[in-house]
Amino acid sequence: EWVEFNHFFNSIIERFEFSKSQKVRFKRLLPPTDLFVEIDTDKMTQVIDNIISNALKYSPDGGDVRFGVTMSGTFIKVMISDDGMGIPQSNVNRIFDRFYRADRARSRAMGGTGLGLAIAKEMIVAHGGDIWAESEEGKGTTIFFTLPYEQQEDGEWD
Ligand code: ATP
Ligand code: MG
């Protein structure tokens, strides 16, 4: 289904903003441009839900969660960034592996299966995009993903 990405993304962010219990501030930088993406909205909601849940779950002391969208070429680049505990440098790429969790002690305390980002990667790749992370232990984590987009929704004759 074709949807305008900023609108779609914003409604997910708002759902979290209403329900979150932590003292985390949400900041967004979304372009004032209609960006049409052809996505499975249920699956993409699941992807973004997991990334935002992680940002909250692994930011126990609050801080900001930043949401950004930029365009580059025929892709949009989405970023979700937190000021949480971060991930050890040597393991940043492994967080997209099935059942991988950055360390046992923190994982036991925080629940979850370690499948969220593996599923997110499968879904983003199936949509023609890519997903990756940048992180610094003790400072925070940024998850990036890309999706092909159209500036103008394709017209249909009727
Ligand atoms: P699930 O999502 O299945 O409930 P999970 O959150 O542990 O469990 P993933 O979402 O796949 O699993 O994340 C994998 C691991 O990557 C996490 O266990 C955590 O160690 C690390 N991680 C993911 N996002 C962040 C983040 N924003 N900050 C710090 N660590 C993170
Ligand atoms: Mg998760």
Side-chain angles (χ1 to χ4, degrees):
E1 147 192 19
W2 284 95
V3 296
E4 199 286 304
F5 189 80
N6 289 310
H7 175 80
F8 172 73
F9 192 28
N10 223 349
S11 56
I12 297 174
I13 297 168
E14 249 147 45
R15 171 160 49 79
F16 276 91
E17 195 155 39
F18 284 123
S19 63
K20 73 181 158 65
S21 50
Q22 287 151 276
K23 280 192 201 151
V24 177
R25 280 172 312 181
F26 279 9
K27 300 194 167 168
R28 30 195 129 166
L29 193 59
L30 307 178
T33 316
D34 284 345
L35 306 171
F36 293 99
V37 290
E38 190 173 25
I39 56 173
D40 180 322
T41 50
D42 287 344
K43 289 184 173 161
M44 200 54 63
T45 299
Q46 201 185 324
V47 167
I48 296 169
D49 276 5
N50 181 256
I51 297 170
I52 301 176
S53 305
N54 284 346
L56 294 171
K57 177 157 76 166
Y58 302 112
S59 302
D61 302 320
D64 294 344
V65 176
R66 291 165 294 277
F67 302 90
V69 177
T70 55
M71 295 97 92
S72 76
T74 56
F75 288 83
I76 58 168
K77 183 163 93 177
V78 181
M79 63 137 238
I80 296 165
S81 159
D82 66 63
D83 297 327
M85 60 181 68
I87 301 158
Q89 202 55 48
S90 51
N91 296 337
V92 175
N93 296 321
R94 298 187 57 202
I95 64 174
F96 299 99
D97 295 349
R98 271 168 194 274
F99 305 117
Y100 177 76
R101 313 199 62 202
D103 77 60
R104 274 162 212 238
R106 88 161 75 152
S107 298
R108 261 199 306 277
M110 293 191 199
T113 61
L115 276 173
L117 288 175
I119 294 168
K121 179 160 190 176
E122 231 167 73
M123 291 181 180
I124 292 290
V125 168
H127 280 79
D130 196 8
I131 184 167
W132 68 98
E134 289 173 9
S135 187
E136 199 177 328
E137 212 174 359
K139 287 223 164 147
T141 301
T142 305
I143 303 290
F144 296 93
F145 68 85
T146 58
L147 287 174
Y149 85 103
E150 308 269 339
Q151 196 106 22
Q152 208 95 41
E153 196 170 5
D154 277 341
E156 269 179 49
W157 296 99
D158 58 17

